[in-house]
Amino acid sequence: MNDLCVDLGYRSLNKFGEQLCGDMIQVVKDDDATILVLADGLGSGVKANILSTLTSKIISTMIAAHMSIEECVATIMSTLPVCKVRGIAYSTFTIIRISSNTYAEIIQYDNPLVILLRDGKKYDYPTQTKIISGKKIVESKIRLNCDDVFVAMSDGAIYAGVGQTLNYGWQRENIIDFIESHYDKSLSANAITSLLVDTCSNLYANMPGDDTTIATIKIRKRQVVNLMFGPPQNTEDVYNMMSLFFAKQGRHIVCGGTTSTLAAQFLGKQLETTIDYIDPRVPPIAKIEGVDLVTEGVLTISLVLEYAKDYIGKNALYNEWHNKNDGASMIARMLFEEATDINFYVGRAINPAHQNPNLPIGFNIKMQLVEELSKLLKLMGKTINLSYF
């Protein structure tokens, strides 16, 4: 198995005063390829949103069906309506296709050129210009290295700050300098995207003069994280659950009081508890030799779920969990930033504490938490495996 994988992150800012974004991102994955299309519709608002949605949908569908770039571009040109005033149709677009995690093919039309960082520095990749249906298309083929970072953007990014905080906007060169100076090998695609989008927003004084989109692709090594939550329904399944969990390569997180006691017994190690409340909402973590992280169960995972919902959306709570060392923050970092593959081992035993009628916790609380969290992690591009005991 190829031990590299694609880490993706993208975010948009709507033009100030607009309900809809005129930029659109589509991601299509098949067996061995990941295709990202960023389309920027002409103008802003509803019309731009429709144009970019059509463009990105048509291109991503055709490329996923292995049709040539020529066919895609010709189809776009003949499908989209033409602007009466400017005599031009459609939207601009950037296509990045990653094959077998070893090759990247980039097709660019009228968007700012994709930035490639290799070892944290700008890498000048080869480009070839073609004329297709009268349009100038820039094509590139690149052999990938681990930790390569591709940043695609709509032109809202390079116009950020024009006439407000900067004379000529945030030019592509400035963006490259900014990413290089903030580069850290551990940053996820989502973290890089957020860094850039937040900076654009600040340059626009939080009133974007144009739709602004950043999409980041990072080629990284697979990192497996295994999380066990709750004891099994039948006590005779404890050994089976523990041996499967600890046999898995990667990092190991154990959540829940009873679960951690059982894990310590299985490993023949001490369970060391602490009373350090780093965050009053999160019960303290514990330690077991041979386990990467030991936390409380329901309260901790509930907060991780809250962080996951925010991370997929506005990512406003990023600083809250990114540097703290309470159980929920540490799980969030391991699942959102480090992990590419996550295996959940969920015990179906009913906790008598959760049967108290005064507690607003239903019977299936663990299942609901894990299932909701799994959905959000899948949206982050993680590969998820769920096992129930």
Side-chain angles (χ1 to χ4, degrees):
M1 173 176 132
N2 187 326
D3 71 340
L4 295 181
C5 66
V6 174
D7 179 24
L8 267 176
Y10 49 88
R11 256 177 77 196
S12 295
L13 298 171
N14 291 10
K15 182 178 174 179
F16 185 67
E18 292 289 1
Q19 292 292 308
L20 289 170
C21 188
D23 299 340
M24 186 59 66
I25 296 255
Q26 295 285 341
V27 176
V28 181
K29 293 189 176 196
D30 62 15
D31 302 338
D32 72 334
T34 301
I35 298 153
L36 178 135
V37 181
L38 186 164
D40 177 357
L42 199 63
S44 63
V46 179
K47 191 168 88 175
N49 177 273
I50 292 168
L51 292 171
S52 62
T53 304
L54 271 170
T55 302
S56 56
K57 272 270 191 240
I58 291 169
I59 292 178
S60 56
T61 308
M62 290 180 76
I63 288 199
H66 303 290
M67 293 170 88
S68 71
I69 300 307
E70 283 81 356
E71 287 174 291
C72 293
V73 176
T75 304
I76 292 294
M77 302 309 167
S78 58
T79 308
L80 295 174
V82 172
C83 165
K84 287 193 177 66
V85 186
R86 303 183 218 182
I88 48 176
Y90 57 74
S91 71
T92 61
F93 54 81
T94 303
I95 306 163
I96 303 178
R97 178 196 179 120
I98 309 281
S99 304
S100 312
N101 304 326
T102 51
Y103 265 99
E105 197 179 348
I106 310 180
I107 295 106
Q108 314 188 61
Y109 169 58
D110 247 15
N111 275 339
L113 287 180
V114 169
I115 295 166
L116 168 55
L117 291 190
R118 183 161 281 180
D119 302 320
K121 295 280 173 241
K122 177 188 84 159
Y123 181 79
D124 289 317
Y125 54 90
T127 56
Q128 215 184 353
T129 305
K130 274 187 180 177
I131 303 294
I132 303 176
S133 303
K135 306 291 169 199
K136 194 172 112 182
I137 307 288
V138 178
E139 282 194 286
S140 305
K141 283 191 172 65
I142 304 155
R143 200 173 174 79
L144 298 172
N145 284 0
C146 186
D147 294 319
D148 277 355
V149 173
F150 295 89
V151 179
M153 65 201 92
S154 64
D155 59 8
I158 58 171
Y159 294 138
V162 170
Q164 284 173 306
T165 46
L166 301 168
N167 289 340
Y168 301 108
W170 205 31
Q171 301 291 313
R172 185 171 177 273
E173 290 307 312
N174 308 129
I175 296 176
I176 291 168
D177 292 342
F178 177 84
I179 309 176
E180 285 183 345
S181 64
H182 288 80
Y183 179 79
D184 178 334
K185 199 172 160 179
S186 69
L187 288 177
S188 65
N190 213 11
I192 295 167
T193 297
S194 289
L195 196 62
L196 289 167
V197 170
D198 292 343
T199 306
C200 288
S201 187
N202 292 338
L203 288 171
Y204 275 127
N206 298 325
M207 294 186 287
D210 192 6
D211 298 305
T212 304
T213 299
I214 301 281
T216 306
I217 288 180
K218 183 176 181 181
I219 306 301
R220 48 174 296 200
K221 277 198 157 52
R222 287 191 175 280
Q223 170 87 39
V224 180
V225 172
N226 306 290
L227 187 147
M228 177 157 54
F229 183 25
Q233 201 165 8
N234 301 314
T235 43
E236 57 266 30
D237 288 337
V238 171
Y239 180 82
N240 187 25
M241 183 180 186
M242 294 288 162
S243 49
L244 285 168
F245 176 74
F246 285 111
K248 278 278 186 195
Q249 61 131 328
R251 305 188 71 172
H252 294 84
I253 305 172
V254 174
C255 303
T258 314
T259 321
S260 41
T261 305
L262 291 169
Q265 285 168 358
F266 175 81
L267 294 171
K269 302 289 181 190
Q270 281 298 115
L271 170 63
E272 296 171 40
T273 51
T274 57
I275 47 167
D276 306 337
Y277 274 87
I278 295 167
D279 180 327
R281 297 171 299 171
V282 193
I285 62 172
K287 287 190 169 67
I288 303 171
E289 194 188 319
V291 181
D292 294 284
L293 179 60
V294 182
T295 74
E296 176 275 341
V298 169
L299 296 172
T300 305
I301 297 291
S302 300
L303 188 55
V304 173
L305 180 62
E306 202 180 301
Y307 289 152
K309 286 177 181 163
D310 170 71
Y311 189 68
I312 289 288
K314 292 213 173 353
N315 204 10
L317 303 176
Y318 182 74
N319 290 331
E320 203 169 300
W321 54 264
H322 192 247
N323 300 313
K324 286 199 322 206
N325 283 328
D326 60 89
S329 298
M330 289 163 84
I331 292 177
R333 285 201 294 279
M334 284 163 88
L335 297 186
F336 308 171
E337 305 247 286
E338 291 177 24
T340 57
D341 298 67
I342 301 162
N343 302 312
F344 283 103
Y345 293 75
V346 188
R348 295 177 188 265
I350 299 168
N351 187 334
H354 299 165
Q355 295 310 297
N356 179 341
N358 302 322
L359 279 178
I361 294 178
F363 154 57
N364 278 347
I365 182 78
K366 285 189 189 114
M367 312 296 137
Q368 286 167 347
L369 285 172
V370 171
E371 273 158 29
E372 268 192 82
L373 185 56
S374 296
K375 277 188 193 136
L376 294 167
L377 290 166
K378 276 183 187 157
L379 287 173
M380 294 179 203
K382 314 290 182 188
T383 304
I384 304 294
N385 245 315
L386 278 170
S387 309
Y388 291 103
F389 293 85

